[in-house]
Amino acid sequence: MEGKFDFLNLQFFTKASVYPGSIGTFRYRFQRTGWMNDGTIQVWVYENISFELAQDVETETFPWTEEGVEAIRAWLTEKLETRGSEPYRIWAGNHVRDGKSEEAKA
């Protein structure tokens, strides 16, 4: 069975110094510092909201090595299982019309 984070490898983190991502409503973010085999990668997981507004944030820092990337995959897999994920959908906001909520109309 293929893991959700199998795409993560040492070279992946050379693409950008900051990388946000998501699996449905499960959000994560990476920020690397230093250089491969000598730097670190900080990883955050947070709720389905922008990173800047998130309140339920967990973070961990790993070495930017093969072992560190393997630990990142394991940590993210555990957090995904714990936090769960739902398919991403765009909220239409149909419950508010003409300035009145559906509850106020009832």
Side-chain angles (χ1 to χ4, degrees), residues 3-75:
K4 300 281 187 188
F5 301 102
D6 286 351
F7 66 94
L8 296 176
N9 59 39
L10 281 175
Q11 290 70 34
F12 173 84
F13 295 102
T14 64
K15 294 179 182 183
S17 61
V18 176
Y19 181 89
S22 65
I23 298 173
T25 57
F26 178 79
R27 303 283 179 108
Y28 56 90
R29 179 182 175 111
F30 306 117
Q31 182 170 355
R32 67 169 166 80
T33 56
W35 303 99
M36 192 182 311
N37 294 314
D38 193 33
T40 61
I41 301 168
Q42 187 169 5
V43 184
W44 293 265
V45 294
Y46 53 101
E47 69 239 29
N48 190 30
I49 193 167
S50 73
F51 179 73
E52 293 75 18
L53 298 176
Q55 294 180 11
D56 186 16
V57 178
E58 294 181 72
T59 187
E60 193 74 38
T61 302
F62 301 89
W64 189 4
T65 62
E66 287 286 350
E67 295 81 13
V69 172
E70 185 176 317
I72 290 170
R73 287 192 300 261
W75 189 76

Side-chain angles (χ1 to χ4, degrees), residues 95 100-106:
H95 76 289
K100 296 180 184 176
S101 70
E102 292 296 323
E103 292 177 57
K105 291 180 183 178

